[in-house]
């Protein structure tokens, strides 16, 4: 993969051509008729009862979990307003509430820059309301930092001033890059809930959440420029941990694995129980794998919750999120 991506990075004309084609491609998707125009779901309770909420005290009364956004800035704002996290002026208004976005803010849609700016602002505002905003890394954030430009629009590049300027913005020289590389985690345990983009296999979970996040941050904050990677790695037939380390593994890694969505259910649930035990969580909440017809789904007696419902207007244009009410001992799926 490193050779494929770095080889493309050497060719600015191909980068520009692909990005321009993606502008046309995704605009057509946005304009096309969508099933989300006719398929509407009702709010549904997922879990209820003290047996599923065992702690005597939780850090947050409420947790809102949002799946993959993929550059749809307007959809993100609408979801945040529907969840009563922000007002009409995009100011944070919720108290004792955590917002968790499980990765893939970027790619496809062109609103990544605005999304990052909004979430960074809200993170600061939320602290004043005894609240918090958490953003996890997804495989597409990683893809951006690996020079994976195949699904980016030219209008996304243009928002930063061009693809080279976008690279600089996502490096450690800029606030966007510092947020991605230093502060966005691979996985997190928030109250009873284990959050991760694609899924946490037991072989990773037993290493410890803190170790996984530290390893990812150490690698991402010490990556040379792409020009240096080309000179020191690609041209010398070497690789870099950014492309090869286990925490970023494309088969079973926490940003990429499809085990929890594609393996036989009995195997998935057996693995999940081991993961929950070692992380001391009650459930695992993931994105990454798009759920059919914009509906949040569960497995393993509702201990595994899939919340990627193709929110972006470049994919499915559905609407929904997960709401965990610790004070009422309830978990809900919320729809428009």
């Amino acid at each position: 993969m490193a050779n494929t991506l770095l080889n493309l990075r050497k060719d600015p004309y191909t980068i520009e051509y692909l990005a321009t084609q993606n502008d046309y491609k995704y605009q057509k998707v946005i304009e096309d008729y969508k099933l989300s125009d006719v398929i509407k779901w009702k709010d549904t309770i997922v879990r209820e009862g003290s047996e599923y909420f065992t702690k005597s005290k939780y850090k947050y009364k409420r947790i809102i979990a949002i799946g993959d956004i993929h550059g749809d800035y307007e959809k993100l704002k609408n979801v945040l307003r529907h969840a009563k996290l922000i007002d009409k002026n995009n100011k944070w208004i919720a108290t004792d509430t955590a917002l968790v976005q499980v990765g893939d803010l970027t790619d496809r849609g062109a609103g990544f820059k605005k999304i990052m700016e909004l979430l960074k602002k809200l993170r600061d505002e939320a602290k004043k309301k005894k609240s918090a905003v958490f953003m996890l890394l997804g495989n597409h954030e990683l893809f951006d930092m690996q020079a994976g430009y195949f699904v980016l629009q030219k209008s996304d590049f243009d928002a930063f001033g061009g693809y080279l300027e976008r690279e600089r913005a996502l490096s450690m020289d800029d606030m966007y890059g510092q947020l991605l590389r230093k502060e966005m985690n691979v996985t997190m345990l928030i109250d009873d809930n284990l959050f991760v983009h694609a899924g946490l296999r037991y072989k990773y979970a037993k290493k410890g959440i803190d170790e996984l996040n530290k390893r990812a941050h150490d690698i991402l904050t010490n990556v040379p420029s792409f020009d240096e990677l080309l000179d020191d790695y690609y041209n010398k037939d070497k690789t870099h941990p950014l492309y090869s380390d286990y925490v970023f593994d494309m088969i079973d890694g926490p940003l990429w694995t499809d085990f929890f969505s594609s393996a036989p259910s009995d195997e998935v649930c057996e693995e999940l129980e081991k993961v929950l035990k070692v992380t001391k969580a009650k459930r695992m909440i993931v994105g990454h794998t798009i759920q059919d017809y914009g509906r949040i789904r569960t497995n393993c007696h509702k201990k595994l919750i899939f919340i990627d419902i193709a929110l972006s207007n470049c994919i499915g244009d559905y609407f929904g999120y997960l709401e965990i009410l610790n004070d009422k001992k309830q978990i809900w799926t919320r729809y428009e």
Side-chain angles (χ1 to χ4, degrees), residues 24-268:
Y24 294 123
K25 171 185 174 182
Y26 290 120
Q27 187 58 42
K28 186 177 185 305
V29 172
I30 291 170
E31 293 171 355
D32 280 350
Y33 173 81
K34 296 184 180 70
L35 286 174
S36 58
D37 293 330
V38 294
I39 295 177
K40 304 295 180 183
W41 302 104
K42 294 182 179 180
D43 292 358
T44 305
I45 194 160
V46 178
R47 279 290 197 190
E48 184 176 27
S50 57
E51 66 267 36
Y52 307 114
F53 295 82
T54 57
K55 294 183 180 180
S56 58
K57 183 174 178 59
Y58 288 94
K59 187 170 184 181
Y60 304 102
K61 287 184 179 179
R62 187 168 72 125
I63 299 173
I64 300 295
I66 300 176
D68 308 32
I69 296 296
H70 284 299
D72 192 337
Y73 173 66
E74 293 300 323
K75 179 62 62 61
L76 175 61
K77 288 195 302 181
N78 290 339
V79 169
L80 296 177
R81 287 190 186 126
H82 189 275
K84 296 180 172 57
L85 300 183
I86 64 173
D87 63 17
K88 64 181 180 179
N89 297 314
N90 301 332
K91 183 178 179 180
W92 183 274
I93 57 174
T95 58
D96 295 315
T97 300
L99 166 64
V100 185
Q101 199 286 321
V102 296
D104 283 6
L105 294 169
T106 183
D107 287 356
R108 296 191 173 94
F112 180 49
K113 187 171 186 287
K114 288 183 177 180
I115 287 170
M116 292 284 281
E117 289 171 348
L118 175 62
L119 290 177
K120 188 175 186 303
K121 178 184 80 75
L122 294 178
R123 189 182 59 168
D124 295 336
E125 293 176 356
K127 295 174 184 177
K128 301 173 184 178
K129 297 277 190 178
K130 297 181 181 178
S131 297
V133 174
F134 301 105
M135 293 167 277
L136 298 186
L137 287 170
N139 60 305
H140 282 266
E141 279 79 28
L142 176 64
F143 208 39
D144 277 8
M145 292 184 279
Q146 293 172 328
Y149 297 151
F150 294 104
V151 291
L152 278 166
Q153 295 190 41
K154 186 176 184 300
S155 46
D156 185 309
F157 288 142
D158 291 344
F160 290 89
Y163 83 89
L164 291 176
E165 289 78 7
R166 190 181 193 275
E167 282 183 5
R168 189 196 66 78
L170 269 57
S171 75
M172 283 296 292
D173 295 331
D174 195 282
M175 67 174 186
Y176 302 102
Q178 290 178 19
L179 179 58
L180 282 167
R181 297 169 185 270
K182 290 176 63 176
E183 300 178 47
M184 289 171 65
N185 288 321
V186 168
T187 182
M188 294 185 73
L189 182 66
I190 302 173
D191 289 334
D192 284 331
N193 313 284
L194 179 64
F195 292 97
V196 60
H197 179 64
L200 193 63
R201 298 295 306 267
Y202 176 68
K203 63 183 177 181
Y204 292 95
K206 66 182 182 180
K207 295 178 184 294
I209 290 174
D210 290 342
E211 172 58 27
L212 292 173
N213 290 329
K214 181 180 184 301
R215 189 175 187 92
H217 293 156
D218 286 348
I219 294 170
L220 293 174
T221 56
N222 290 286
V223 177
S225 69
F226 288 124
D227 289 330
E228 292 173 298
L229 283 171
L230 281 164
D231 289 340
D232 295 339
Y233 290 86
Y234 176 80
N235 293 334
K236 296 177 183 177
D237 198 27
K238 296 164 58 179
T239 190
H240 186 277
L242 177 66
Y243 300 93
S244 60
D245 193 81
Y246 72 79
V247 77
F248 301 137
D249 182 75
M250 293 183 67
I251 305 300
D252 269 341
L255 305 185
W256 285 96
T257 185
D258 65 353
F259 171 81
F260 292 99
S261 59
S262 64
S265 189
D266 57 341
E267 294 180 20
V268 169

Side-chain angles (χ1 to χ4, degrees), residues 1 39 97 120 208 285 289 319:
M1 183 182 70
I39 295 177
T97 300
K120 188 175 186 303
I285 299 166
T289 303
F319 188 104

